[in-house]
Structures are given as C-alpha cells and as structure tokens.
C-alpha cells in the first residue's frame, strides 16, 4: 500500500471517527442534561468520577500498550498475524488481574459513599470492573479492524452500543430511580456487551467470504481468531512483546497524566462527591470538542505515521517521498488543531457562563462552574497541540527512545500529582486545570524539540504549522475584546432577548474569524477539503 493510499485511509478513518464522536458527545450531552433533573450531583460524582475511573484504568492499562505496539508492528513487512493475535489475547488475563486488584482497592482502601445517599456501591464496583473485562474480549478484533481500516465497523458498533446504553439509562432513571448505581452499572455492561457482539458478528460473517479473499485478508476462519501456536515459529513475536512492555511502562504513566485529577479526587478526598460531580460535568462539557475532533484525529493519524515512517530510523535513511508526505500532513494537522484550539479559547471565555446556565441551570452556572469552564477552554488549546505532536513522536520513536521517554513521563506524573494537590488546596477545583496546563505545556515542549531534531537535517519544517497568520491573530484578539464586553453588557441575568444579542455578537465575531482563516490559511483549507471531507475527496480522486 502506497503512502498516498495510507493517507487516504487514515483520513477516511479520522473523518468517520469525528462524525462518530460528534454523535457520542451529543447523545451524552443530552443524557447528562436529562439525568441532572432526576439524580443528585453526589450520585453523578460517584458514577462519573469514582466508577468511571475504575473502568478507564482497567481497560487502559490492559490494552493501550498492546494496541500501540501491535499497530506499529503490523505496519512493517516482516510480521506474523498469528503471533500478533496470540499477543493480543494476553489482554484478557491481564485485564482479569487488574480487575481483581482494582476491586479490592475500590472496596476496601477508598472512602465508601454513604449507603443512605448512594446505595449499591459494592455491586456497582464489581459490575463496572466486569464490563471492562468484557470489552477486552473484542481487543484482537479491534486491532484487526484498525490495521485494515474497517472504518464503518467501528462507527456501527460504537453507535449501536451508545444508543443501547442511553436508552437503558433513560428508561431506568425515569421508572426505577431507586435502583441508584445499578442503573449506570447495567447500562455500562450493555454498552461493552454490544461492542463485543458487533465485532464478533462482523468477523464471523466476514472471514472466509469472497470480500475477504479479494482484500487478501490474512485470516481465513473463526479459528484463526483464537490463540494457538503456528508451526515453525514462537508463540509470540518477542520483539513485539518487548515493545509492548516499553509501551506498558509508558501507558501506566500516561494514564496518571490523563486521569490525574480523578486520581487525586478519589485517593486524596480533596473534593466532596457533589463537588466532584459538578467538576466532572464542567470537564466533560469543556472537553466535548477536544474529544470528538482532536482525539479521533490523533488515533487515526497515529496509524498513518506508524505505517509511513520507519520506527527508530532518521529522515535520511527513509523513503523521501514518505517523509515528505508525513511532514506535510504533520504541518497541516498542527495548523488545524491550533486554529480550532484558539477559537475555543477565545470564545470560551465569554460564553462559559451562558453555556452552563442553559445546560444545567443555577446548579452549574453559580459558584465555580463558569470559572472552571473558562480555564478549561484555554486548556483545550494545549490538549489539541499535544495530541498531534505526541501521535507523531510515538510513531517515530525507537524502542530505546520510548524507554527513555518513560523516565520523562515518570517525572511529569509525579510533578502533576504534587501540583494537583497543592494547586487544588490553593485554588479549589481550578487547581486541577492549572496543573494540567503546566504538565501539558511540558509534554508539548518535549515533543516539539523531538520533531525539530527529527527534521533538522531535512528540508521540511512541519513546526511552521504552529505559526498562525497575523490577520487571524488580529481577528481573534478583536473577537476576544468584543465578546468579553458583550458578556458584561448583555449577559446573563437580563432576560432572553439580551442573551440572544450576546449570542449574535459572538456569531458575527466567529464569522469574521472564519473569513480570516479562509483568506490566509489556504493550505489548511485545501488539506481539509481533500483529506478530511469524504464527499469532496471521492469527487476529486
């Protein structure tokens, strides 16, 4: 497969992933807005912070290293899918071990919520852990689908799973509210069960079919999906297993950085369950754009960079055509996330109070809610840039460099936990976001230095993507001043008419910013049209 074909497939995957994430976040958005009217913020805090942290820790530590290593390994020419499948099945016993350990920690080492206020905590912990182990059953199938760019499979599977989860949650919240945590545990079990079922049904029908033969799919029957030894080769590829171990050490640290504030809340009890619930709602609201735009781009283009670049080799020793495409894509991706992040930061400041008031009423718009969302809007910019820079760095690093970076991640993890505790003690919930900003800035600095050294001896300078045009910066600065003045004059306690005036002012400023983008960022517009918009791409290929 040529570099252009890989880019086309990765772009298609990113486009569908963005659409999928938009749907997910819209459904979750309305689901949270609905449940806020029926359940307490303490219950939301336990579910969205304590139990979700259990689930995310289990699945991340069980599969993330395997995903990165196997997707990198199968991008080369010399690999055996038999050995890759065998290695991937190790996620299941590893997940069972993590589940047993985490259940003990969550039940006996952490503060247990008051059973009168939040009943059924113990069974909920077990059910959330079980849902994580259940999801790992589909891990070999997920990696196969990602490696072969089965983009529609992921869209359909996760769409059906999310619809089922939302439906069960809504029905049970309305008619069986007294079941408490059982509602959310059952919904999560159904979600992971639907994922596994969809992947299993697809591959059972696909393997051995005429379509699979035409595509040259490496597996031929359902038996090939199960672990077994092939004649004349080891059970697993030990070089791939060693790379997995390197990524595992890194993923452990990355999980602390990603979910650090939840770990601090959970283990150090710096916020009450009610305050945790408010913080988590604001956090999810602020990260919606980051999750449904930036995360799918990061996941999809990590696969692109891993397939196009040769891990651990310098620029001069690789195909120059591949390096040129990778550099151009990296520059355009950096410019894309920078522009989107700047827009969110500028308009997030003036519209945080209005957004929270519309979403959750005075429960969210009073107190620290608007301040949290304003700070988070600025954090989104750092989150966006870091996602793209790290997806390139992780795809290009040698195993030795990955091991070395683990020490950097260890230092960042320890400093993050310390900063989170100290800044939260000083500034309340906002301290979590400040700690995230500081650590994200250090991670970006490390990745930017690596990219600079990587392309230093070549003619390509992809870091130019971090330099917006002067006209765009001027448009953003004017918009920041105008919308801030508009909020002070028109929003948000003077009725709906003045709120609409405030919204209109923001819409006019946003239009001006988009015009500046169209006039000055022509390469970015061309990249979006030809690579990230499927309909346009089909027309021009």
């Amino acid at each position: 497969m040529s570099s252009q074909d890989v880019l086309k497939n990765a772009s298609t995957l990113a486009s569908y992933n963005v659409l999928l994430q938009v749907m997910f976040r819209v459904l979750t958005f309305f689901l949270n807005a609905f449940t806020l009217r029926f359940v307490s913020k303490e219950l939301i805090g336990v579910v969205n912070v304590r139990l979700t942290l259990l689930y995310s820790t289990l699945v991340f530590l069980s599969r993330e290293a395997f995903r990165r290593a196997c997707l990198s390994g199968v991008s080369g020419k010399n690999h055996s899918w038999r050995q890759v499948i065998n290695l991937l099945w190790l996620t299941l016993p590893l997940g069972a071990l993590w589940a047993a350990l985490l259940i003990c920690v969550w039940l006996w080492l952490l503060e247990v919520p008051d059973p009168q206020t939040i009943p059924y905590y113990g069974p909920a912990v077990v059910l959330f852990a079980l849902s994580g182990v259940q999801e790992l059953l589909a891990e070999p199938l997920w990696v196969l689908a990602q490696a072969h760019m089965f983009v529609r499979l992921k869209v359909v599977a996760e769409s059906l799973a999310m619809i089922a989860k939302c439906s069960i949650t809504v029905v049970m919240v309305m008619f069986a509210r007294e079941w408490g945590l059982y509602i959310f545990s059952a919904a999560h079990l159904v979600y992971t069960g639907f994922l596994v079922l969809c992947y299993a049904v697809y591959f059972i029908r696909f393997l051995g079919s005429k379509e699979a033969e035409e595509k040259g799919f490496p597996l031929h029957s359902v038996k090939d999906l199960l672990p077994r030894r092939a004649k004349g080769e080891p059970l697993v590829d030990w070089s791939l297993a060693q790379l997995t171990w390197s990524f595992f050490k890194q993923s452990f640290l990355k999980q602390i950085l990603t979910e650090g504030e939840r770990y601090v809340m959970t283990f150090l009890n710096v916020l009450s369950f009610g305050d945790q619930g408010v913080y988590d709602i604001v956090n999810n609201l602020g990260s919606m754009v980051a999750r449904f735009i930036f995360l799918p781009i990061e996941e999809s283009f990590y696969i692109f960079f891993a397939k196009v670049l040769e891990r651990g080799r310098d620029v001069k020793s690789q195909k120059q055509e591949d390096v040129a495409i990778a550099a151009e894509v990296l520059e355009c991706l950096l410019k894309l996330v920078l522009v989107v992040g700047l827009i969110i930061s500028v308009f997030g400041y003036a519209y945080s109070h209005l957004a929270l008031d519309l979403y959750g009423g005075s429960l969210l718009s009073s107190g620290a809610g608007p301040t949290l969302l304003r700070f988070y809007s600025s954090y989104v910019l750092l989150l966006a840039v870091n996602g793209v820079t790290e997806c390139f760095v992780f795809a290009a690093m040698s195993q030795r460099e990955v091991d070395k970076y683990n020490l950097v991640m260890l230092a960042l993890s320890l400093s993050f936990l310390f900063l989170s505790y100290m800044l939260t003690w000083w500034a309340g919930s906002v301290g979590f976001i400040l700690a995230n900003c500081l650590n994200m800035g250090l991670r970006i600095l490390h990745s930017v230095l690596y990219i600079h050294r990587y392309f230093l001896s070549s003619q390509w300078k992809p870091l130019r993507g971090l330099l917006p045009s002067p006209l765009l910066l001027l448009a953003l600065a004017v918009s920041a001043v105008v919308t801030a003045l508009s909020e002070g004059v028109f929003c948000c306690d003077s009725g709906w008419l003045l709120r609409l005036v405030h919204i209109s002012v923001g819409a006019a400023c946003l239009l001006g910013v988009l015009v500046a983008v169209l006039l000055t960022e022509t390469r970015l517009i061309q990249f979006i049209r030809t690579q990230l918009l499927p309909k346009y791409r089909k027309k021009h290929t």
Side-chain angles (χ1 to χ4, degrees), residues 282-283 286-287 371-380 383 433:
V282 172
N283 180 56
S287 63
T371 303
L372 278 172
L373 192 55
R374 288 187 181 108
F375 275 89
Y376 204 97
S377 298
S378 300
Y379 172 58
V380 165
L383 199 66
I433 301 176

Side-chain angles (χ1 to χ4, degrees), residues 175-227:
F175 299 107
R177 204 178 315 168
E178 67 277 4
W179 286 15
L181 293 176
Y182 274 130
I183 297 173
F184 301 94
S185 304
H188 209 72
L189 272 172
V190 169
Y191 171 77
T192 57
F194 258 84
L195 281 179
V196 175
L197 181 64
C198 289
Y199 276 96
V201 169
Y202 178 86
F203 276 99
I204 288 172
R205 297 185 62 181
F206 177 75
L207 292 175
S209 66
K210 186 176 180 181
E211 181 185 0
E213 293 178 3
E214 292 175 351
K215 291 183 176 181
F217 198 73
L219 306 182
H220 305 288
S221 67
V222 177
K223 292 182 179 179
D224 293 336
L225 296 173
L226 302 176

